[in-house]
Amino acid sequence: MPYDAGNIFARILRGELPAVTIHEDADTLSFMDIMPSVEGHTLVITKEPAEDIFSLSSGGAGALIRATQRVARAVKKGLDCPGVMLIQLNGAAAGQSVPHIHFHVLPRHAGLDLKLHGRAMVEAEKLEPVAAKIRAALE
Ligand code: DGP
């Protein structure tokens, strides 16, 4: 299937929709998930218009995992969580809802259950203080 340039993340990349941004470089953008599974749920996306891991270039894959590693380190340090879970879904059958490749970065604490992602919306004002802690921990 051809890449859908009208998807939500493509619109965020074009500046048509707002996002609480964590980090941006030449190849990737990272921002807070608006329907988080857990406080601190962050997304890392490519600027390359690719739907999934299968259509992403190897250069794009390298840039994406490097940015994800950097953001995961900042989530761990900034939110002082003992674990960080990375999730990356490919295809509706796998649960992917936005057809633009992305990693989920989830702070984890033992015994704290994850909610299903993409359900309850959180306002930007509530995401911002958590985002500030992650940004401050970026190296
Ligand atoms: P996935 O199911 O893996 O495709 O995850 C898509 C995630 O994107 C899901 O956790 C909810 C999040 N999301 C959906 N729409 C928006 C949006 O407009 N802004 C932000 N920041 N996140 C969104």
Side-chain angles (χ1 to χ4, degrees):
M1 213 165 58
Y3 177 76
D4 168 19
N7 79 72
I8 286 166
F9 293 171
R11 297 189 63 199
I12 288 174
L13 282 171
R14 289 196 297 269
E16 295 168 6
L17 292 174
V20 178
T21 301
I22 295 296
H23 174 258
E24 180 169 10
D25 61 27
D27 302 308
T28 68
L29 179 70
S30 171
F31 50 89
M32 302 308 289
D33 193 305
I34 208 173
M35 291 178 261
S37 297
V38 67
E39 187 175 271
H41 185 161
T42 306
L43 300 170
V44 187
I45 74 173
T46 57
K47 291 187 178 176
E48 181 180 328
E51 180 169 338
D52 53 26
I53 197 77
F54 309 112
S55 52
L56 184 65
S57 69
S58 62
L64 181 60
I65 196 65
R66 279 191 295 278
T68 300
Q69 183 187 45
R70 191 164 174 212
V71 169
R73 284 181 173 142
V75 164
K76 186 168 194 314
K77 186 174 168 192
L79 304 184
D80 194 24
C81 54
V84 173
M85 181 187 281
L86 303 179
I87 300 177
Q88 196 278 308
L89 307 172
N90 298 284
Q96 183 179 11
S97 58
V98 179
H100 182 112
I101 186 157
H102 52 280
F103 268 94
H104 298 258
V105 181
L106 299 159
R108 298 292 292 133
H109 296 267
L112 198 66
D113 283 343
L114 280 179
K115 290 180 287 185
L116 283 173
H117 74 290
R119 299 294 160 103
M121 187 104 69
V122 174
E123 306 86 59
E125 305 80 67
K126 291 213 174 113
L127 297 174
E128 182 50 42
V130 182
K133 288 186 193 170
I134 301 172
R135 268 186 231 116
L138 274 172
E139 285 167 3

